[in-house]
């Protein structure tokens, strides 16, 4: 006796798969433009992977108003965009990882150990200031083998570590600027930054490397600025507003 399948009677008939629907649809009439675009989108979506993709470096596009830090041989300055992003932070601590070449700027309370005032407060406004730190800056220049004639700018990345908001700066991702020069009329000559040579041949990090670059473990090699400069015998100059 032949067994009659339930769907053969017209009840509980299984729905055709999308591919079957496409075949049936194409056999009856051509796909519309919208249907073709949707089919392409679904195909790209089903086959997508981050493998082979690079995250384009922010330094390759206009970033004039993005949070940034500038290091000179005797001072460090954070722009107003950087200061405004960390609301209510007047004092910070510098933490540096000499192995990974990363610097963390972490907000702290006034009077905390190794607290550094990083901005000028005028009423409700907080503005950028130059932080004189020759012993610390000289150690950075020595560690990174920088040219003392240049100034170095770094793009800040705001991250969260548990409940703390802070900035992460990759010291190997620098933009180097030549000393300022003026033309015969006394106007400043604007020069393009010199980017690291190891960036040649790529657009940026792979997606996996990019994700890993934002991870911070304070138990793994980070030191405060005072620990970096505690052996420095020269007196620290007064800070300049």
């Amino acid at each position: 006796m032949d067994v009659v399948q339930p769907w053969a009677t017209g009840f509980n008939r299984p729905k055709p798969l999308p591919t079957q629907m496409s075949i049936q649809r194409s056999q009856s009439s051509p796909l519309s433009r919208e249907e073709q675009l949707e089919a392409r989108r679904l195909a790209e979506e089903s086959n997508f992977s981050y493998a082979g993709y690079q995250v384009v470096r922010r330094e390759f596009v206009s970033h004039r108003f993005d949070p940034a830090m500038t290091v000179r041989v005797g001072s460090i300055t954070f722009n107003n965009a950087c200061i405004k992003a960390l609301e209510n932070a007047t004092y910070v601590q510098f933490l540096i990882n000499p192995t990974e070449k990363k610097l963390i700027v972490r907000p702290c309370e006034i009077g905390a150990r190794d607290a550094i005032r990083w901005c000028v407060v005028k009423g409700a406004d907080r503005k950028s200031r130059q932080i004189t730190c020759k012993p610390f800056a000289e150690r950075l220049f020595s560690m990174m083998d920088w040219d003392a004639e240049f100034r170095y700018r770094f793009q800040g990345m705001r991250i969260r570590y548990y409940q703390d908001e802070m900035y992460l700066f990759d010291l190997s991702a620098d933009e180097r600027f030549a000393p300022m020069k003026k033309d015969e009329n006394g106007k400043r000559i604007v020069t393009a930054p010199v980017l690291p040579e190891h960036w040649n041949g790529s657009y940026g990090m792979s997606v996996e490397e990019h994700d890993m670059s934002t991870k911070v473990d304070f138990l793994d090699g980070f030191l405060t600025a005072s620990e970096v400069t505690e052996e420095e015998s020269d007196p620290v100059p007064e800070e300049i507003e």
Side-chain angles (χ1 to χ4, degrees), residues 155-174:
Q155 299 304 306
M157 181 189 310
R158 191 167 64 171
I159 64 173
R160 179 185 292 272
Y161 185 74
Y162 291 98
Q163 299 301 318
D164 295 331
E165 293 278 353
M166 60 191 72
Y167 267 108
L168 170 67
F169 295 92
D170 183 354
L171 299 179
S172 65
D174 60 88

Side-chain angles (χ1 to χ4, degrees), residues 7 11-17 20:
W7 53 264
F11 298 98
N12 300 322
R13 184 183 297 274
K15 295 182 179 180
L17 297 174
Q20 295 174 328

Side-chain angles (χ1 to χ4, degrees), residues 85-106:
L86 290 182
E87 298 179 357
N88 303 320
T90 304
Y91 286 82
V92 298
Q93 295 166 329
F94 294 162
L95 292 87
I96 187 166
N97 189 316
T99 302
E100 296 187 2
K101 305 297 189 294
K102 292 180 180 179
L103 184 142
I104 289 287
V105 177
R106 180 176 65 179

